[in-house]
Amino acid sequence: MIRLSYRPTRLGPVPAGLALAFALLATPAYAQQQDEQLWLQVNTNVPIADRLRITLEQIARGSDRQGGLYQTEFGGLLGYRVAKGIELGFGYRKVGAHNGNDSADEDRLRQQVVATLGPFVTRFRIDERFNPGGREIGFRIRPLIRYNHRIGAGKLALFVSHESFFLPNTTRWGQRRGYERMRNIVGLAVPIGKQVAADIGYLNQYRVARGGSGAEMDHALTLQLTINLNAFAVPRVHD
């Protein structure tokens, strides 16, 4: 059974790592367009073998500006622990657009490496986007870092995370190469029994001005539930 899990530090003097993580939350104060959103995600981790697991994923995102539910994602991720604290993953997602979201539905493949280093969790992910608007594949590079800081003697923890999106190629259906956006989250990791945990936080997503479009900033309340069947534990990171 895989034993990858985040290990938050105990509450005490705020370490330099936490201060640096908070600094990652600093985003541009001005954006041409802003939006209030709600992000919901449920991950269910199912063990297959001692080092192998599959995660079933469901995501729903709502937007004030886009008239309610604007994006859904359903998929799975196969994870394999190659060494203590290091896991490789390969997955698929079906992405749907709704209401005011004028993006096309997409199929996405992804590969990732997740490493747990004490209170830090890092993830390096590469996405391949398949869009009905053209045959070109849109690639995305998404490095993420998360810091967990334990509060008290239990498993309650404060966390902060930062993720950047780099697009290495341009496609005819709309992807433009370059640095596209960042996501920063601050929140609480809350245990709910032995097999369920929740991450509740504030997410700030900033899309830089590029290609003639103005900058955009989203303010989201985010809730992620992680269900570990048979006490199966993996690092928790948002998508």
Side-chain angles (χ1 to χ4, degrees), residues 36-56:
E36 288 74 45
Q37 301 190 0
L38 174 65
W39 291 26
L40 304 174
Q41 181 168 350
V42 178
N43 293 336
T44 303
N45 297 311
V46 183
I48 299 176
D50 183 51
R51 292 171 174 255
L52 192 65
R53 57 96 178 179
I54 188 168
T55 298
L56 305 177

Side-chain angles (χ1 to χ4, degrees), residues 161-198:
S161 70
H162 169 82
E163 183 177 20
S164 285
F165 287 65
F166 301 91
L167 309 183
N169 71 316
T170 297
T171 67
R172 294 181 181 178
W173 48 261
Q175 176 167 300
R176 295 185 296 273
R177 66 180 299 177
Y179 185 85
E180 183 199 28
R181 76 181 94 163
M182 67 174 77
R183 288 179 184 167
N184 301 300
I185 308 175
V186 58
L188 285 174
V190 182
I192 307 174
K194 294 182 178 180
Q195 294 181 300
V196 182

Side-chain angles (χ1 to χ4, degrees), residues 10 15 21 25 46 59 62 66 70-71 80 90 94 103 105 108 113 121 125 130 139-140 152 187 189 195 197 203 230:
R10 296 183 181 277
L25 292 174
V46 183
I59 294 175
Q66 299 186 73
Y70 75 94
Q71 183 171 293
Y80 179 72
F90 177 82
K94 180 66 176 181
S103 300
D105 295 350
R108 294 178 185 170
V113 180
V121 178
R125 171 180 286 179
F130 298 85
F139 293 91
R140 297 195 305 189
Q195 294 181 300
L203 180 148
N230 298 325

Side-chain angles (χ1 to χ4, degrees), residues 2 45 48 51-57 74-82 86-93 107-114 123-130 137 139:
I2 302 174
N45 297 311
I48 299 176
R51 292 171 174 255
L52 192 65
R53 57 96 178 179
I54 188 168
T55 298
L56 305 177
E57 305 162 314
F74 300 94
L77 181 78
L78 186 66
Y80 179 72
R81 187 186 68 175
V82 295
I86 301 178
E87 184 183 76
L88 302 181
F90 177 82
Y92 163 81
R93 276 209 185 129
D107 295 291
R108 294 178 185 170
L109 296 178
R110 57 213 153 101
Q111 305 81 46
Q112 65 183 37
V113 180
V114 179
R123 183 184 70 196
F124 183 82
R125 171 180 286 179
I126 298 176
D127 289 340
E128 293 89 36
R129 305 169 63 195
F130 298 85
I137 300 174
F139 293 91

